[in-house]
Amino acid sequence: MSENGSGSTTSDDRDCYTNLLHQPSKRSSSPSSRPPQSRRTNPPGLIVRGRVFHVRVKVPRKVQATVGRTQVWRSLGTPVRSEAIRKSKLVIADIERSFLVAAGASDPERVCAEIAGSKSASVDPATGHAVTFGDLFRHFHADPAKVRAPKTRVIYDGLLWITSSLWGEDRLLTSIDRAACRDLLEVLRWLPSNPVKRFPSLNAVQAAQMAKKTGLKSTLSAGSINGYMAKLRALMTFAVNEGWIDKNPATGLNVIDPIRDKDKRRPFSGNQLRSIFHAPIFTGCVDDEWHYASPGPNHPRRARFWVPLIGLFSGLRLNEICQLDVADIQTVEDVACFVVRGDPTGRAAKRLKTTASERIVPVHPTLLQIGLLDYAETQRSKHAVKLFPELKRTKDGYHSDGISKWFRRFLRSANAEAPLTCFHSFRHCFRDALREGRVPHDIGLALGGWAVNAGQDGAERAYGSGYSTRTLFEGIAAIKYPGLSFGHLLTHSKAS
């Protein structure tokens, strides 16, 4: 270290060092002034995270641009305080030397990798260079332990487009700290909905700035913002597990959603349900394609007839219904059931929302009376694989896209349209009917495929084989909708 004429260090040299080593004690040397052994504090920069000691070192201002961060964290790999103190001196000295190298580094990428941790933990083995955010994204999606639905991949692609505008794909992963994640959150807060369509010539950051400048009201919802941040946390958690970073810088970053979950969707009212199930497609129409809203003599019974009824009386999600195979209507312990499952072949031809979604749901007595089993038997005699073969699977892997769009049009034609209601409202009706029928909570969860919270209840569900089919049938039979009649459907229960 160079010194000036008076023997003191210069400000430039001091700036290359932290003050974590060799600090003079500020306590009195008198034994009576020393704190009790039980109240001793850790040396500066030595921090416990969980049960393991870490060291935190401030990066000098003059090399922060090269290093790409303001602090360096390094795990000491021990829960023992005395061992951590000994190791911390060696680790801090190594980091300090890296700062000196960084001040005149010819290969900043290598230096940053060394400062971030061991070479094997922070260098991409495929390229030999320090891991960038783009590398993280590619490794994350190449992970064979996860299979992500196409719609989920679209959200990740959207996140990459936004982060590339803000950080660039070549941004070193170790430089993405809490401040960088907050910058992303701020961009998301002002990002317009459908930004590519609204501002086709602008990137995400420019679109957000334009929206903020013009006071644009149509910006991302709180749910969409928090969804993007959740995906970022998943990426960073993967990086932590791979040993590329020490901690997740996006933990806990969200915006407050002013709309409660229960208010985002509402159940259909009694009047809406009567309008739906007394529309021409249920009472008699010209056909169930282009003239489903026109009264007529025909009573076609295909997907557009059965899917809403199954949604009301089973609580199945729309895609769970639309992707049913004929073989998924089974008799289990003498009870006719929907067998809701993923693709047994592993080709992801069927998609479930959660692991709890895989379940057995007895067919409601009303569906039996209307003739669902007769319809399934007809499809079986035709050697059909799908229960509703007219519903084609789209390239993103879902069978429900077409009927979802149709149902929105159908609600308008039936004068049943209302705010915050859609096909998913049948599931809310089902949940309310479970409550009104005094169905035990755990049986309701099993029928609806709702996951329990983590903890004791979740652990308990891992034991045993679950409820008997007869018990589940008693629960489903308790589902009733007072004031809603389906007698007009029984008249034509044999119609094709």
Side-chain angles (χ1 to χ4, degrees):
M1 182 181 297
S2 62
E3 296 181 341
N4 58 21
S6 62
S8 61
T9 58
T10 65
S11 60
D12 285 345
D13 287 334
R14 284 198 305 270
D15 199 35
C16 281
Y17 290 81
T18 69
N19 60 358
L20 299 183
L21 289 176
H22 312 302
Q23 280 193 337
S25 175
K26 296 181 180 179
R27 297 180 295 178
S28 167
S29 60
S30 171
S32 61
S33 66
R34 295 175 184 170
Q37 183 71 11
S38 61
R39 298 177 58 189
R40 61 186 179 177
T41 58
N42 293 327
L46 190 63
I47 296 172
V48 179
R49 296 178 60 195
R51 297 183 61 187
V52 178
F53 281 91
H54 291 66
V55 68
R56 180 177 63 187
V57 183
K58 182 180 178 181
V59 179
R61 287 191 300 274
K62 67 183 299 181
V63 296
Q64 285 180 5
T66 301
V67 175
R69 52 167 58 188
T70 58
Q71 295 178 348
V72 172
W73 286 74
R74 189 80 64 83
S75 172
L76 299 176
T78 178
V80 181
R81 184 174 183 274
S82 58
E83 183 180 357
I85 292 175
R86 177 180 60 80
K87 284 186 172 182
S88 68
K89 296 177 181 179
L90 299 174
V91 171
I92 292 173
D94 180 60
I95 294 174
E96 295 280 6
R97 283 193 296 271
S98 298
F99 291 158
L100 290 175
V101 174
S106 58
D107 187 357
E109 210 171 62
R110 178 183 59 80
V111 172
C112 291
E114 291 177 354
I115 291 175
S118 66
K119 193 173 182 65
S120 61
S122 57
V123 173
D124 185 350
T127 64
H129 299 296
V131 179
T132 65
F133 186 75
D135 294 331
L136 167 63
F137 191 87
R138 287 185 286 274
H139 283 288
F140 179 79
H141 284 295
D143 182 10
K146 295 287 185 180
V147 177
R148 297 177 179 87
K151 288 187 177 180
T152 302
R153 181 58 187 262
V154 168
I155 299 174
Y156 277 108
D157 288 342
L159 176 63
L160 182 63
W161 176 72
I162 298 167
T163 54
S164 296
S165 303
L166 179 64
W167 300 332
E169 286 192 44
D170 294 333
R171 170 109 178 220
L172 289 177
L173 182 60
T174 54
S175 72
I176 300 175
D177 55 12
R178 188 74 168 184
C181 293
R182 286 196 178 278
D183 289 342
L184 174 62
L185 184 62
E186 184 66 13
V187 170
L188 291 171
R189 286 182 61 235
W190 290 102
L191 191 66
S193 54
N194 297 316
V196 176
K197 292 182 179 179
R198 193 180 296 270
F199 301 115
S201 62
L202 303 182
N203 63 32
V205 174
Q206 293 167 339
Q209 292 171 344
M210 180 64 72
K212 185 175 183 179
K213 181 179 179 181
T214 59
L216 186 67
K217 300 296 183 183
S218 181
T219 55
L220 293 182
S221 67
S224 295
I225 294 171
N226 291 339
Y228 278 123
M229 294 306 296
K231 296 296 184 287
L232 177 65
R233 283 192 292 275
L235 284 162
M236 292 303 185
T237 297
F238 178 82
V240 171
N241 293 339
E242 292 296 306
W244 293 332
I245 56 177
D246 291 327
K247 61 178 182 178
N248 191 328
T251 299
L253 285 181
N254 277 316
V255 295
I256 296 175
D257 193 341
I259 303 175
R260 298 178 301 173
D261 287 343
K262 66 180 296 184
D263 294 332
K264 291 179 179 179
R265 289 286 183 267
R266 293 176 180 169
F268 289 119
S269 67
N271 287 334
Q272 284 178 287
L273 289 176
R274 282 187 285 274
S275 295
I276 290 170
F277 292 107
H278 284 80
I281 198 169
F282 294 101
T283 59
C285 60
V286 175
D287 59 57
D288 63 350
E289 294 183 355
W290 296 105
H291 304 97
Y292 60 86
S294 301
N298 299 313
H299 299 271
R301 295 200 166 189
R302 298 193 303 167
R304 291 181 176 183
F305 175 88
W306 285 113
V307 170
L309 286 166
I310 294 173
L312 181 67
F313 283 106
S314 72
L316 268 64
R317 299 175 178 91
L318 179 56
N319 195 62
E320 290 175 345
I321 302 171
C322 294
Q323 69 183 8
L324 283 170
D325 292 338
V326 174
D328 292 332
I329 307 293
Q330 297 182 15
T331 300
V332 181
E333 299 174 3
D334 297 324
V335 176
C337 298
F338 298 105
V339 179
V340 183
R341 55 186 172 181
D343 181 15
T345 67
R347 293 193 299 268
K350 291 184 179 180
R351 299 190 178 279
L352 298 180
K353 184 175 181 181
T354 66
T355 54
S357 299
E358 194 162 78
R359 62 200 188 278
I360 291 177
V361 181
V363 178
H364 192 278
T366 300
L367 295 177
L368 295 175
Q369 293 168 5
I370 296 173
L372 178 62
L373 296 188
D374 293 332
Y375 170 80
E377 189 58 37
T378 299
Q379 295 303 107
R380 189 175 286 109
S381 67
K382 295 177 181 178
H383 304 289
V385 174
K386 290 295 179 185
L387 190 61
F388 306 112
E390 71 268 29
L391 302 181
K392 303 303 181 183
R393 183 184 178 204
T394 57
K395 63 181 180 180
D396 60 1
Y398 293 87
H399 291 81
S400 58
D401 286 359
I403 203 165
S404 176
K405 295 174 183 176
W406 168 82
F407 191 76
R408 288 195 292 269
R409 300 192 301 271
F410 167 73
L411 288 180
R412 287 194 295 271
S413 70
N415 294 318
E417 192 175 31
L420 302 179
T421 55
C422 61
F423 190 92
H424 199 70
S425 297
F426 285 129
R427 194 161 160 82
H428 288 261
C429 292
F430 181 78
R431 192 70 184 94
D432 284 345
L434 287 170
R435 296 186 183 101
E436 291 297 323
R438 302 294 191 270
V439 177
H441 180 66
D442 285 354
I443 294 178
L445 293 178
L447 290 171
W450 287 289
V452 298
N453 294 328
Q456 184 175 356
D457 290 341
E460 182 179 330
R461 284 169 63 99
Y463 292 84
S465 57
Y467 291 100
S468 69
T469 310
R470 177 56 56 181
T471 299
L472 293 175
F473 179 77
E474 292 172 359
I476 206 78
I479 300 294
K480 292 180 172 57
Y481 297 98
L484 193 61
S485 171
F486 295 92
H488 59 290
L489 301 182
L490 304 182
T491 305
H492 303 281
S493 61
K494 298 297 183 180
S496 61

